[in-house]
């Protein structure tokens, strides 16, 4: 029964919307209960967020579809998502139950228009990888070539497009009933999500990206992109060369095969730095499972479902930012950030200018001369605090770029703890700017790239200087909290009335009497609840007039 409901649009929408409304209610209740945010309150807040994130992750794995991809997307958004939530959501990667082997075979035959034995001499029955959109199977072609076959999951395209409707409702609720809507451009976020997810649904698009990286990396003998068998590739099936080896983070594999760790780390750094600073596409999901190392030390990059783009204009923006910083032209810095769509309309540009100037002074004072893993973690925490407190939103492509950069840097430090990013980056940055530029531009670019555009602890001086303004905003929000709380309760009960009505209709449609009776009982209870809440809310409004 539950398995069948999983593909029902009304059921999926009800689960998704109700989960979000429940999350909002719990957050409102927490803020209403705790007025003083001390260390104990912060610990309880983090505990609540972990609880919500775990519930989200469980629902995402159960339902699949958009929930998984939204979770993965938001795990890239340190600009507005709490760290504890991001850590839980990161567990969504490749943790999806496998699909039926029979369905996979049937889909392949339908896509190819022939029986499998016309093309395959062997098909391994159990998938070797299971993700939110597709499954990967190992097989052998008639000519003896070992291949990996990526097959799209059952009804995944229909599920995604059904979920987009629920997602649009969720974003409307967030924009109307939470302060989140004031901090983020939710319409833009929705568009970004839909574009990114639709792109992943079309395997022909992934094939075109793979061919792009084959061409881009063809002169690099230390890196390999798998060969794709285009005659067998469709919108729902991909057939590519089978790549063995081990995850690039498997140090035991390096030692067992006498592979030069430093050489591999340097190759990895060069390949991804080129993607991050030069125009073109970049591999947006470079985790250990998608970067393999062969026995001879060659790196193999696989899975191009998630790809971002650095436009030529983006590289011009990056260079303009560095030039403006070098000549202390912070008005130009703000102007450039505005052109990059980093600043929301309500941004206080004077405050941002002051903050950026104070932050850059820390670079000039050599605050990052001794950077270790602890420092990197501290920087990550501080950039999260900064972005969440300020009217800044990372456009989706920059968010994916930042995520990819942080993953690669994490792999580098795990692979080769003695990595010297400054030494390795300097010649690349010099080439990037052009040989005619002054050394100061190169050095500034290297210093900025080293902490990956993060901000140190001392920037809290700026945040503390604006604490009075933020405190006034908090007091204002508290006055509105009770009213918003009742509005949310009214919305929740109203939505549940609609959902109960939908349950009744669905129960009648499938002739399931217990489901119909449950819907009738539920709709009666929620109608009583909404009347009680409206009465209490009315009395509260009258007493405050």
């Amino acid at each position: 029964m539950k398995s069948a409901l999983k593909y029902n649009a009304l059921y999926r929408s009800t689960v998704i919307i109700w989960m979000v409304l429940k999350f909002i209610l719990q957050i409102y209740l927490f803020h209403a209960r705790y007025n003083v945010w001390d260390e104990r309150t912060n610990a309880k807040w983090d505990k609540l967020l972990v609880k919500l994130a775990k519930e989200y992750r469980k629902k995402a794995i159960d339902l699949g579809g958009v929930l998984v991809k939204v979770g993965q997307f938001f795990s890239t958004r340190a600009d507005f998502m709490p760290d504890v939530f991001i850590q839980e959501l990161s567990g969504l990667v490749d943790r999806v139950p496998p699909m039926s082997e029979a369905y996979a075979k049937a889909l392949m035959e339908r896509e190819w228009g022939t029986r499998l034995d016309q093309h395959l001499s062997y098909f391994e029955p159990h998938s070797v990888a299971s993700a939110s959109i597709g499954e990967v199977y190992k097989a052998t072609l008639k000519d003896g070539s070992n291949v990996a076959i990526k097959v799209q999951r059952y009804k995944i395209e229909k599920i995604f497009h059904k979920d987009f409707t629920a997602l649009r409702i969720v974003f409307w609720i967030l924009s109307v009933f939470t302060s989140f809507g004031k901090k983020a451009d939710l319409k833009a976020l929705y568009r970004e999500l839909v574009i990114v997810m639709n792109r992943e649904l079309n395997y022909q698009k992934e094939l075109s990206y793979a061919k792009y990286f084959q061409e881009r990396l063809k002169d690099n003998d230390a890196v390999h992109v798998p060969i794709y068998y285009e005659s067998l590739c469709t919108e729902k099936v991909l057939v590519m060369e089978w790549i063995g080896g081990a995850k690039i983070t498997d140090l035991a594999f390096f030692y067992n095969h006498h592979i030069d760790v430093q050489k591999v780390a340097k190759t990895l750094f060069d390949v991804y730095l080129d993607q991050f600073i030069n125009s073109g596409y970049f591999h947006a999901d470079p985790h250990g499972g998608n970067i393999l190392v062969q026995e001879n030390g060659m790196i193999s990059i696989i899975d191009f479902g998630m790809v971002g783009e650095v436009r030529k204009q983006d590289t011009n923006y990056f260079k303009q930012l560095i030039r403006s910083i070098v000549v202390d032209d912070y008005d130009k810095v703000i102007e450039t950030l505005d052109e990059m769509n980093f600043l929301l309309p309500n941004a206080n540009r004077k405050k941002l200018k002051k903050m950026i100037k104070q932050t850059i002074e820390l670079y000039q004072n050599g605050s990052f001369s001794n950077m270790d893993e602890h420092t990197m973690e501290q920087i990550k925490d501080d950039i999260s605090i900064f972005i969440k407190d300020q009217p800044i939103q990372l456009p989706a492509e920059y968010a994916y770029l930042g995520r990819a950069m942080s993953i690669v840097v994490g792999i580098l430090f795990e692979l080769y703890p003695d990595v010297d990013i400054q030494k390795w980056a300097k010649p690349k940055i010099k080439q990037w700017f052009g040989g005619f530029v002054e050394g100061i531009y190169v050095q500034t670019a290297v210093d900025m790239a080293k902490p990956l555009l993060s901000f140190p602890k001392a920037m809290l001086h700026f945040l503390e200087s604006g604490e009075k303004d933020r405190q006034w905003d908090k007091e204002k929000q508290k006055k509105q909290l009770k009213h918003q709380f009742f509005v949310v309760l009214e919305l929740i009960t109203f939505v549940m009335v609609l959902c109960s009505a939908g349950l009744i209709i669905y129960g009648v449609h499938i002739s399931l009497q217990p489901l119909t009776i449950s819907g009738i009982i539920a709709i009666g209870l929620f109608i009583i609840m909404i009347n009680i809440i409206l009465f209490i809310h009315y009395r509260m409004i009258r007493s405050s007039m």
Side-chain angles (χ1 to χ4, degrees), residues 38-289:
D38 54 17
E39 190 173 333
R40 290 181 62 187
T41 305
N42 284 323
K44 290 179 180 178
W45 173 244
D46 285 346
K47 187 176 179 181
L48 172 64
L49 292 179
V50 170
K51 174 177 169 286
L52 299 182
K54 284 182 176 178
E55 182 177 344
Y56 182 97
R57 187 175 65 179
K58 184 178 182 302
K59 282 283 191 298
I61 292 173
D62 288 344
L63 285 182
V66 161
L67 281 182
V68 174
K69 302 311 296 183
V70 168
Q72 292 175 351
F73 178 83
F74 280 137
S75 71
T76 72
R77 303 311 299 253
D79 47 332
F80 50 74
M81 294 298 291
D83 285 343
V84 290
F85 213 95
I86 289 174
Q87 289 167 13
E88 285 295 328
L89 293 184
S90 64
L92 283 173
V93 178
D94 291 335
R95 293 189 183 181
V96 182
M99 66 184 183
S100 158
E101 173 206 347
Y103 171 76
K105 288 182 174 180
L107 178 63
M108 290 160 60
E109 289 183 341
R110 188 162 64 248
E111 289 292 301
W112 292 344
T114 60
R115 292 171 52 87
L116 291 188
D117 56 20
Q118 294 293 313
H119 299 287
L120 306 179
S121 61
Y122 173 75
F123 181 84
E124 195 166 296
H126 302 292
S127 62
V128 296
S130 181
S132 58
I133 292 180
E135 299 265 330
V136 179
Y137 294 87
K138 187 175 181 180
T140 305
L141 297 180
K142 283 285 191 179
D143 65 3
S145 302
N146 289 324
V147 294
I149 304 180
K150 190 173 179 180
V151 182
Q152 205 168 91
R153 296 181 77 88
Y154 177 63
K155 289 188 176 180
I156 192 65
E157 191 170 358
K158 289 183 179 178
I159 287 173
F160 266 60
H161 287 102
K162 287 174 182 176
D163 288 354
F164 286 155
T165 302
L167 199 62
R168 187 191 291 269
I169 295 171
V170 165
F171 274 46
W172 176 82
I173 291 171
L174 293 175
S175 65
V176 174
F177 297 100
T178 72
S179 60
F180 183 61
K182 298 174 184 176
K183 292 181 179 179
D185 185 348
L186 293 180
K187 287 184 178 180
L189 276 178
Y190 175 79
R191 287 194 301 270
E192 290 166 1
L193 276 168
V194 171
I195 289 170
V196 169
M197 288 188 280
N198 270 325
R199 189 188 298 164
E200 287 192 64
L201 284 169
N202 188 342
Y203 282 177
Q204 286 290 344
K205 196 72 175 175
E206 182 175 339
L207 173 63
S208 69
Y209 291 139
K211 291 168 66 177
Y212 166 84
F213 282 100
Q214 285 174 348
E215 180 65 25
R216 182 166 182 168
L217 298 171
K218 66 180 181 180
D219 295 328
N220 192 332
D221 295 332
V223 182
H224 177 67
V225 175
I227 298 167
Y228 283 70
Y229 295 82
E230 293 187 48
S231 62
L232 297 177
C233 292
T234 71
E235 288 189 4
K236 296 182 179 181
V237 176
L238 279 178
V239 181
M240 68 207 81
E241 169 190 4
W242 176 262
I243 302 294
K247 291 183 177 181
I248 197 163
T249 51
D250 187 349
L251 291 174
F253 185 85
F254 279 83
Y255 299 137
N256 291 339
H257 294 87
H258 309 289
I259 301 169
D260 187 334
V261 177
Q262 181 179 353
K263 184 179 178 181
V264 172
K266 180 63 164 60
T267 299
L268 183 73
F269 176 84
D270 289 343
V271 166
Y272 279 94
L273 182 64
D274 174 64
Q275 295 176 40
F276 295 154
I277 65 175
N278 292 311
S279 59
Y281 293 118
F282 65 87
H283 187 213
D285 197 22
H287 62 77

Side-chain angles (χ1 to χ4, degrees), residues 324-337:
S324 301
I325 289 167
V326 169
V327 298
D328 292 332
D329 186 354
Y330 292 99
D331 287 324
K332 186 64 177 177
V333 171
I334 295 297
E335 180 185 328
T336 305
L337 289 175

Side-chain angles (χ1 to χ4, degrees), residues 485-510:
F485 173 69
F486 278 101
V487 170
V488 170
L489 276 180
E490 289 156 10
L491 175 67
I492 289 173
T493 49
F494 177 71
V495 170
M496 294 315 297
V497 167
L498 296 179
C499 292
S500 301
L503 200 63
I504 295 169
I505 295 169
Y506 186 64
V508 171
H509 177 68
I510 64 174

Side-chain angles (χ1 to χ4, degrees), residues 1-2 4-5 8 10-11 14 499-523:
M1 177 67 182
K2 188 176 179 181
L5 283 174
N8 180 269
L10 176 61
Y11 173 77
T14 302
C499 292
S500 301
L503 200 63
I504 295 169
I505 295 169
Y506 186 64
V508 171
H509 177 68
I510 64 174
S511 301
L512 191 62
Q513 191 176 12
L515 195 64
T516 305
I517 294 172
S518 299
I520 293 171
I521 294 171
I523 199 170

